[in-house]
Amino acid sequence: MKWEQYPEERVFAALRSVLSAKGLVTDAEIFETIAVTERASPEQGARMVAKAWVDPDYRALLLRDGTRAAELLNITMRGAPPLGVAENTPDVHHLVVCTLCSCYPRAVLGYPPFWYKSVAYRARAVRDPRGVLAEWGTVLPESTRIRVVDSTADYRWMVLPLRPANTEGWSEERLAKLVRATDMIGVTVPKVP
Ligand code: FE
């Protein structure tokens, strides 16, 4: 890869050399983090969600310590900020946003979708969460409270969605196929196609 091709790559290269000169981080650590993010994908989070739906002990662990629950499924969390998991119920629906920039559970889900980083999403998720959900086609009962969760550099959040109806007896693998990145951010809810 040619690092000097674009202005942002020159900035990255300069930052990288300053950080390693000061002994704060090595090139190897930076490239390992990039590799972990590139290996990560929403399928990893979907496996966690599906397991939590069928295994009450795993669900309890997931809600208590998301990082540990991810590691249990061989998801690399080393160096990543702690992972919090917010559980949706019929009473409370969670919507994840980073109001400041783009903090996202990258170690689990990979790179955030483009809209997640947009000023529009970051502002409107807080100001009008129900409106944002409606644009995604997610209409919740008026009685369901929407709680907006701020993901930060220190603590990353994902959502444990409600298990869709009519999936009794489904295997973990089959359930996992229902779960998309948007469901784990909370803009959508998993549905049986
Ligand atoms: Fe951020």
Side-chain angles (χ1 to χ4, degrees), residues 98 100-103 151-153:
C98 171
L100 211 57
C101 43
S102 59
C103 299
S151 219
T152 69

